[in-house]
Amino acid sequence: QKVAIIAAAAKDADVYYFDEPSSFLDITTRIKVAKLFVELKENKSVIVVEHDLATLDYISDEIQIIYGLQGSYGVISQSKAVRRGINEYLDGFLPEDNVRFRDYKIVFQKPIFNVGAKAEVGYEYPDLEKNFVGFKMKINKGTMYKGKVNAIMGSNGLGKTTFLKIISGLEKADKGIVEKKKISYKPQYLKQIKGNVREYLKEIAKENFESGWYKQNILIKLNIKHVLDHDLSELSGGELQKVYIAATLSSDADIIALDEPSAFIDVEDRLNVAEVIKEFTLKKEVCTIVVDHDVQFIDYIADSLLVFEGIPGKEGHVYGPCEKPEGMNRILKMLDITYRKDKLTNRPRINKIDSQLDQEQKKKNKYYYNE
């Protein structure tokens, strides 16, 4: 992805077009790419299609909304100011055109912070070490609680996926023995599976597949009911991702481990996915671990954070688990960006570099501002 972005940006052109540039990129690189676009647009025109609202908000001067019916038709709206355009998209209504293109609003609920000390311990892992040629990962022992989502953030190449694989029993640590638990794991890279979606999920969920709760809270909320009779090989990247998430949640497990569940998924479905994972974690009282690079997605879903730090490809270590405000502040400070909530929609927003709010929050060391 980075090579493709560089190849496009290096060309001598009047207009630069980037289609979902944040896909596959870690949080650190997303900010670097956003800054590249900001520099590129000084003398040229830049058009970006993106599902990461925080990145889109950060880089854009104008917004156009594309709406319609999937696979049938699409309509492109008039150009709008960034804040107004994103808020109208979330609202599902374009006042100027008197068009309601969605029968519900996308609402950012105010996050409820974890009170880990009062929750029941679900899983404890020891100090862990894993060495590869030229790379070393070190993890301090930690605790996860039932009914809580423990999120992981950090640059690529620091050992996040390796940690998930060790917890899931797919990798063996060089130091430290993890307790064996029933774990359901969704990998980062999705394989095209043969077979029918309905039969695939039914085989995993068993009798739960026919329950009203499963249909409402998994199939409908994940927006995959309409693809149940499709072959898995026919699905788009986003549809396949949601089927993989549904399959992971369908397994009988004590721990749910999800590696980059927001990848390939559009804005509307990202919050649905976050809500499904959150509600499932609470209802089933399982421990859930989520690795992702979408700041808004993590802010929405997480109760606590593990922040991976170090030198990508050489050495990785972890800060945490810690409460979400502390973890978010640490990761945003590392990225040198500040974060606030939109007063109208409660949507998280990245402040423009060196803006008044950006300077004020940095001065107060409040990179994550949740009030």
Side-chain angles (χ1 to χ4, degrees):
Q1 183 73 293
K2 287 187 283 186
V3 171
I5 290 169
I6 292 167
K11 292 178 182 177
D12 182 16
D14 298 314
V15 180
Y16 295 87
Y17 188 101
F18 298 94
D19 196 351
E20 297 191 37
S22 73
S23 297
F24 305 109
L25 299 185
D26 63 38
I27 180 63
T28 305
T29 310
R30 289 185 188 201
I31 298 303
K32 289 180 180 178
V33 168
K35 290 178 179 178
L36 169 66
F37 292 165
V38 171
E39 291 177 10
L40 197 60
K41 73 182 183 183
E42 288 182 5
N43 301 308
K44 305 287 185 175
S45 296
V46 180
I47 301 172
V48 177
V49 175
E50 186 54 76
H51 293 305
D52 184 334
L53 276 186
T55 300
L56 195 66
D57 190 12
Y58 182 65
I59 65 175
S60 300
D61 296 301
E62 296 179 355
I63 292 284
Q64 285 180 282
I65 299 167
I66 300 180
Y67 62 94
L69 184 64
Q70 290 181 3
S72 297
Y73 69 91
V75 181
I76 301 177
S77 75
Q78 301 176 46
S79 184
K80 303 171 183 291
V82 179
R83 182 173 182 268
R84 178 183 171 189
I86 292 179
N87 286 349
E88 287 184 7
Y89 173 78
L90 295 174
D91 193 46
F93 178 68
L94 306 178
E96 291 179 354
D97 303 322
N98 195 28
V99 171
R100 176 160 293 284
F101 59 88
R102 194 190 317 111
D103 58 6
Y104 61 91
K105 296 180 180 181
I106 298 175
V107 179
F108 286 83
Q109 303 290 348
K110 193 163 184 176
I112 300 172
F113 296 132
N114 173 36
V115 187
K118 296 181 181 179
E120 184 181 350
V121 173
Y123 184 69
E124 293 180 299
Y125 54 89
D127 292 339
L128 298 169
E129 288 186 17
K130 180 69 178 178
N131 299 314
F132 297 99
V133 177
F135 178 77
K136 182 177 182 178
M137 182 191 75
K138 187 175 182 180
I139 309 289
N140 295 326
K141 65 180 180 180
T143 302
M144 291 185 285
Y145 299 92
K146 293 183 178 180
K148 303 294 181 183
V149 177
N150 198 55
I152 298 176
M153 291 198 81
S155 299
N156 285 335
L158 295 178
K160 301 187 302 299
T161 295
T162 299
F163 173 64
L164 277 195
K165 287 183 175 180
I166 290 173
I167 294 294
S168 303
L170 301 175
E171 289 271 3
K172 187 176 180 181
D174 295 324
K175 179 183 176 182
I177 300 173
V178 297
E179 180 186 357
K180 289 187 177 181
K181 289 271 189 177
K182 289 189 291 183
I183 296 174
S184 184
Y185 171 67
K186 186 203 80 67
Q188 178 182 8
Y189 300 108
L190 309 181
K191 295 180 180 178
Q192 287 286 354
I193 312 166
K194 292 182 179 179
N196 175 274
V197 174
R198 185 189 302 275
E199 296 306 317
Y200 172 66
L201 291 177
K202 198 171 183 179
E203 185 178 348
I204 298 170
K206 297 182 172 55
E207 65 273 5
N208 291 329
F209 185 84
E210 301 298 338
S211 70
W213 185 91
Y214 188 88
K215 290 177 182 177
Q216 179 64 37
N217 292 281
I218 302 293
L219 302 180
I220 293 176
K221 284 192 176 180
L222 283 178
N223 194 22
I224 57 174
K225 193 175 180 182
H226 67 288
V227 300
L228 287 177
D229 294 319
H230 291 209
D231 193 271
L232 285 153
S233 62
E234 300 172 353
L235 303 183
S236 68
E239 289 169 340
L240 185 62
Q241 181 74 271
K242 288 185 288 183
V243 169
Y244 259 87
I245 292 168
T248 306
L249 299 180
S250 298
S251 300
D252 180 23
D254 301 310
I255 299 174
I256 303 296
L258 300 155
D259 201 346
E260 298 196 29
S262 78
F264 308 113
I265 294 177
D266 62 33
V267 177
E268 294 184 31
D269 282 337
R270 285 191 184 196
L271 288 187
N272 289 337
V273 166
E275 286 181 1
V276 167
I277 295 170
K278 190 85 170 175
E279 288 177 8
F280 181 90
T281 301
L282 285 167
K283 180 176 176 60
K284 300 296 183 180
E285 294 188 331
V286 296
C287 300
T288 298
I289 316 171
V290 175
V291 173
D292 212 276
H293 296 296
D294 185 329
V295 179
Q296 288 185 336
F297 184 84
I298 290 295
D299 185 34
Y300 199 75
I301 198 174
D303 294 302
S304 59
L305 273 173
L306 281 170
V307 181
F308 271 68
E309 302 170 335
I311 303 171
K314 292 185 177 181
E315 178 266 332
H317 57 270
V318 171
Y319 179 85
C322 59
E323 296 294 320
K324 181 167 69 176
E326 181 185 358
M328 289 292 290
N329 204 70
R330 191 177 182 94
I331 195 81
L332 293 171
K333 188 173 184 178
M334 183 175 71
L335 297 170
D336 194 34
I337 58 174
T338 55
Y339 203 60
R340 74 185 190 279
K341 292 296 178 71
D342 186 278
K343 292 181 180 179
L344 182 64
T345 64
N346 205 43
R347 171 173 62 89
R349 303 186 67 186
I350 298 175
N351 294 320
K352 301 292 184 183
I353 298 176
D354 293 328
S355 65
Q356 185 176 347
L357 277 173
D358 184 56
Q359 293 178 34
E360 286 177 0
Q361 287 183 224
K362 285 178 179 176
K363 190 175 181 180
K364 296 176 182 177
N365 197 34
K366 277 198 168 186
Y367 288 78
Y368 177 72
Y369 192 67
N370 192 53
E371 297 177 10

